[in-house]
Amino acid sequence: MATAESYLKPEVIRQIKRLDLRAQFIVKGFLQGLHASPFHGYSVEFSEHRKYTHGDDPKDIDWLAYAKTDRYYVKKFEAETNITGYLAMDLSGSMAYSHGGPRGKSGGLSKFDYSICLAAALAYLMIGQQDPVGMVAFDQKIKHSLPPKSKRTQLATLLSLLAGLKPAGETDIAAGLTQLAAMLRHSSLVMIFSDLLTDEEAVLKSLRRLRHGGHDVILFHVLDEAEVTFPFRGLTDFEEPETGERLELDADGYRADYLAGVADFRETYRSECLESGVDYVPIDTGMPFDRALTEYLVQRRRRG
């Protein structure tokens, strides 16, 4: 029997070709492990509930209540404000990068593939909780958008759109987020997936604009495992993915400076996001997929 941990490993998910099944596997693994996590006492409030009995529709089971109690319940939620979610996907060429790191833990998932899997799992979880979710994808401007809905048919539409996205060319994250901020009419939860390889100050300014507009923001900073660990040795030929510029470097002599630069890069975003009230989640493609889903539940708990 597969364990929750195995469902969440990138190298396992990579073997599944269909995005809908990838999302189901990730969410299943997450829910299996939830009751053993700090969220064991996660509060789920409902006005009417009863134990699941034969003949009830399994899709009406409250899985968060199950994670809390280890019992199956069919529930009816009290009136509450649903989270309106937007998945914001960076289509830059640099997101297509995949090296896999020194141990190949990511199993060849690119930053973009990893981000798409996270986004699909979050959509699966949100629609399962009857929260409306939509999507935008941008390079130098928004190229694709889908208005948020909570109907189950929305999941198939959203996953189909996500599966068809291709990263290419240069990006302007700040412009994409500024466009998104202008589109939002109500307080929303904006979940951003990007490697952030662009002008930091412009991005930070656009994040502040979203927060000042009354929106909650989770910034998933997705890097390849190799970009975080720098496993390269000797003379190595590097290529800038968005411009094609090539540079040969002595990887051993450059490693210490590079790793210090990555640490500074992440720390800048961490500290600035903390100050602005943005949730900053540094991720690499070797990490299990549950971190993003946990951050989503943190946000839901704050808004509850």
Side-chain angles (χ1 to χ4, degrees), residues 186-189 208-217 303:
H186 306 286
S187 178
S188 301
L189 172 60
R208 295 184 197 109
R209 184 179 291 110
L210 280 167
R211 287 293 293 135
H212 291 162
H215 308 293
D216 288 323
V217 182
R303 293 169 62 103

Side-chain angles (χ1 to χ4, degrees), residues 230-238 247-255:
F230 202 75
F232 309 102
R233 295 286 185 267
L235 285 176
T236 305
D237 191 32
F238 295 95
L247 182 65
E248 188 176 62
L249 291 174
D250 173 14
D252 296 296
Y254 184 59
R255 180 171 296 103

Side-chain angles (χ1 to χ4, degrees), residues 78-94:
E78 293 177 348
E80 62 178 0
T81 301
N82 289 93
I83 299 172
T84 297
Y86 274 89
L87 306 166
M89 311 302 301
D90 179 2
L91 294 175
S92 63
S94 63

Side-chain angles (χ1 to χ4, degrees), residues 69 93 118 160 184 187 203 225 273:
T69 65
L118 285 183
S160 177
L184 301 179
S187 178
V203 174
E225 187 183 10
C273 286

Side-chain angles (χ1 to χ4, degrees), residues 260-300:
V262 170
D264 288 345
F265 179 35
R266 284 177 150 184
E267 176 56 26
T268 295
Y269 272 102
R270 188 201 66 79
S271 60
E272 293 289 339
C273 286
L274 180 63
E275 185 175 331
S276 301
V278 171
D279 276 3
Y280 173 68
V281 188
I283 290 175
D284 71 61
T285 55
M287 287 184 177
F289 284 97
D290 56 339
R291 185 166 186 173
L293 301 181
T294 299
E295 289 298 325
Y296 164 73
L297 283 188
V298 168
Q299 280 282 10
R300 186 174 177 85

